[in-house]
Amino acid sequence: MQVSLQGSDPRDAVFEIPQTIAGLGAKTGRSASLILAFSIFKVCLTLLTTAILARYVAPTEHGLFALVIPVVLIASGLSEFGLSQAVVQRPKISHALVSTLLWVNLSLGLLLGLGVAALGGMAARFYDQPDLPVLFRMLAPYVVLVVLNTQLTAILRRQFRLGLIEAIGLAATVFASGAAVWAALLGWGAAALVVQLLLQPLASFLALAFVVGWRPSPPWHMSLSLARGALSFGGYLAAERLLGEVMRNLQLIIIGRHFSEVAAALFHRSQAIAQMPQRRLGAPLLGAVLPALSRLQDNGGAFEGMFFRIVSRSNFVLMPFGCLLIVLPDVVVLSLLGPLWADTIPLVQLLGTLPIFAMTLTCLATALIACGRARELFYFRVVSVVLLGLSLAISLRFGLYAMVASYLFTLVFLSGGILLSVVSRYTPLGFGGLLSFVSLEAVHALFPCVLGLCARYFVELRLFEEALLGLIAIGGALLLRIGFSPSLRGDIARVIKPARAVP
């Protein structure tokens, strides 16, 4: 017999939320400090691994891998079905419900993983690349591993055990990166990239299953009627996630089809560099944002205060990476990837826009999820994908760089403006306050970029000296922002103090 009320089954205690709203800000701040400390280690490790793989795996091999990635990411996003967010967002949840959601997710993951494996032949004909079916079959298990990880991670996130999540993620990244480097040194080519992608979620799952302290009921005890509300909420999130993955990977599909696998490799590697700060720093920080905002969805003033503070501080961490890519793209590419990847320099500079605006856009979407507005987020994503598709279709004839620039303009300004309007209507955040806040954040981002570019290109120096001058300009702009913001100085002091205690 299934139970539906939290507290009627002793196993429901795993999903209780002990912290009160009064202590939520302090809890979120401490969690953010731990996340930041672990994420910095992961960024450094990822950069080192990227530099090694770029030198031992040829661009053509990277290109074949890049042609498979869009399908794998779209399938994994769809298989998750938004149900892990339902575990975090709901005020009350039971063991029976979480067990049902896990088995639903796993079933979807298995079906979609088989679908990925079966698509290899069609992809080979689409791209005219006969080697693709093997890569599709090798990467199909990734879809299932992502599902298992997201559900177990959601339980820890609901419990605010965010430091443990990051520690496991760091250990899994070390393991997967070491194995990928070893495979690359042995001359495995694209298979080394497959090793890295598969081993990271596999190692994470094994560790999470050990530490979570929860085991699901058998699949024959599922109760779909109990999960109806969560499935409805998750269904809209799954559709939104699917559209989001299509939006993020549509360029790569078009480039692989209309240009070449080398062009796809150049774009994929440039995009990976530009998205690395958001994936390695921003995404874990959002792990603290969603449960905190979910608890405050009925408290307008507290919701607004926490949202603005989180976005501002997250941007302060991520924006310097974007400035670095915009001001010093040649230095980043040549030092990180090597001279074989010199053609990525203009792409890296264009895509440097992503770390500057990505966190603001992602937090706006997270605010809708925290308020249970999955349907409205889905409708927004439909409009956004249509706009992006039109921009890509119009700009494709003008070449690769024009297409990327058009995509970024549509993403940040057109879609971003619509998202502001949607968030202001369906969350406690007002449009006027949001617009003022976002505009101020944009000024904070543009100032170091303009200062750095002026320092580089109006002074004739050698490359090393130009790079040093650009770094000084970016750092100086950030120090000015700290100097004029007492609250920012206080937050930095509070982050540094506990971060020193992290082993």
Side-chain angles (χ1 to χ4, degrees), residues 165-494:
I165 294 174
E166 292 307 306
I168 290 173
L170 176 59
T173 301
V174 170
F175 175 68
S177 298
V181 169
W182 176 74
L185 294 176
L186 291 178
W188 286 19
L193 306 177
V194 174
V195 166
Q196 183 182 27
L197 191 67
L198 290 181
L199 288 186
Q200 200 278 333
L202 176 60
S204 292
F205 166 68
L206 294 176
L208 287 168
F210 179 76
V211 304
V212 163
W214 173 81
R215 297 295 180 269
S217 297
W220 51 85
H221 287 168
M222 284 195 305
S223 175
L224 294 179
S225 60
L226 176 65
R228 186 178 294 113
L231 290 172
S232 175
F233 176 82
Y236 279 111
L237 282 183
E240 185 273 335
R241 176 77 63 85
L242 174 63
L243 291 174
E245 291 295 346
V246 169
M247 181 178 69
R248 281 185 285 271
N249 291 282
L250 187 58
Q251 292 178 98
L252 189 53
I253 295 172
I254 293 174
I255 291 168
R257 172 68 173 175
H258 290 278
F259 295 96
S260 67
E261 73 274 13
V262 174
L266 296 176
F267 176 79
H268 175 65
R269 185 50 63 192
S270 302
Q271 189 180 47
I273 292 173
Q275 290 180 342
M276 188 182 301
Q278 205 275 334
R279 288 181 181 273
R280 294 297 184 183
L281 292 173
L285 286 171
L286 284 175
V289 174
L290 180 58
L293 291 179
S294 297
R295 305 290 80 81
L296 298 175
Q297 57 185 290
D298 297 321
N299 188 336
F303 186 98
E304 183 179 61
M306 180 168 284
F307 177 85
F308 286 156
R309 198 175 195 89
I310 286 171
V311 176
S312 175
R313 300 318 181 238
S314 300
N315 280 337
F316 180 78
V317 174
L318 263 67
M319 280 179 179
F321 290 95
C323 295
L324 185 67
L325 298 182
I326 291 173
V327 176
L328 302 170
D330 48 350
V331 176
V332 171
V333 169
L334 295 177
S335 59
L336 187 60
L337 302 180
L340 289 177
W341 297 84
D343 289 341
T344 63
I345 292 173
L347 289 173
V348 167
Q349 188 169 41
L350 281 172
L351 292 170
T353 310
L354 290 177
I356 289 178
F357 293 101
M359 201 62 186
T360 299
L361 297 174
T362 306
C363 284
L364 288 170
T366 302
L368 287 172
I369 297 173
C371 293
R373 295 292 184 172
R375 180 173 59 183
E376 287 74 15
L377 181 59
F378 166 70
Y379 292 154
F380 155 74
R381 195 67 70 188
V382 170
V383 175
S384 181
V385 168
V386 171
L387 289 174
L388 289 168
L390 289 173
S391 73
L392 291 176
I394 294 171
S395 60
L396 177 61
R397 68 185 67 182
F398 300 105
L400 176 61
Y401 302 120
M403 188 179 72
V404 175
S406 174
Y407 171 87
L408 292 171
F409 176 82
T410 306
L411 175 68
V412 173
F413 294 102
L414 298 184
S415 295
I418 296 172
L419 183 57
L420 278 179
S421 177
V422 174
V423 169
S424 67
R425 182 173 180 180
Y426 294 105
T427 74
L429 303 170
F431 183 79
L434 268 178
L435 184 61
S436 299
F437 172 77
V438 171
S439 300
L440 183 60
E441 289 296 299
V443 171
H444 286 155
L446 291 175
F447 178 62
C449 290
V450 172
L451 194 62
L453 288 171
C454 291
R456 275 206 73 182
Y457 294 108
F458 286 104
V459 180
E460 289 293 332
L461 297 171
R462 291 176 297 180
L463 181 60
F464 172 79
E465 294 169 336
E466 284 186 5
L468 183 60
L469 188 60
L471 287 173
I472 292 173
I474 294 173
L478 294 175
L479 289 175
L480 283 175
R481 181 177 177 184
I482 295 172
F484 284 102
S485 176
S487 64
L488 179 57
R489 291 199 302 273
D491 284 347
I492 292 173
R494 282 188 288 273

Side-chain angles (χ1 to χ4, degrees), residues 32-46 166 170 277 279-285:
S33 301
L34 287 171
I35 289 170
L36 185 60
F38 280 112
S39 296
I40 288 173
F41 281 112
K42 285 194 286 187
V43 166
C44 295
L45 178 63
T46 302
E166 292 307 306
L170 176 59
R279 288 181 181 273
R280 294 297 184 183
L281 292 173
L285 286 171

Side-chain angles (χ1 to χ4, degrees), residues 11-92:
R11 293 171 294 184
D12 293 348
V14 174
F15 310 104
E16 291 179 357
I17 306 172
Q19 52 268 28
T20 63
I21 290 178
L24 196 58
K27 184 76 173 179
T28 304
R30 289 193 297 270
S31 299
S33 301
L34 287 171
I35 289 170
L36 185 60
F38 280 112
S39 296
I40 288 173
F41 281 112
K42 285 194 286 187
V43 166
C44 295
L45 178 63
T46 302
L47 290 173
L48 177 62
T49 305
T50 299
I52 296 173
L53 294 179
R55 287 162 172 80
Y56 285 92
V57 180
T60 52
E61 296 287 327
H62 276 276
L64 291 175
F65 180 79
L67 297 179
V68 185
I69 282 295
V71 175
V72 173
L73 293 181
I74 290 170
S76 61
L78 181 59
S79 65
E80 196 272 329
F81 208 70
L83 298 182
S84 64
Q85 285 95 332
V87 172
V88 177
Q89 190 267 341
R90 286 179 162 238
K92 292 186 177 181

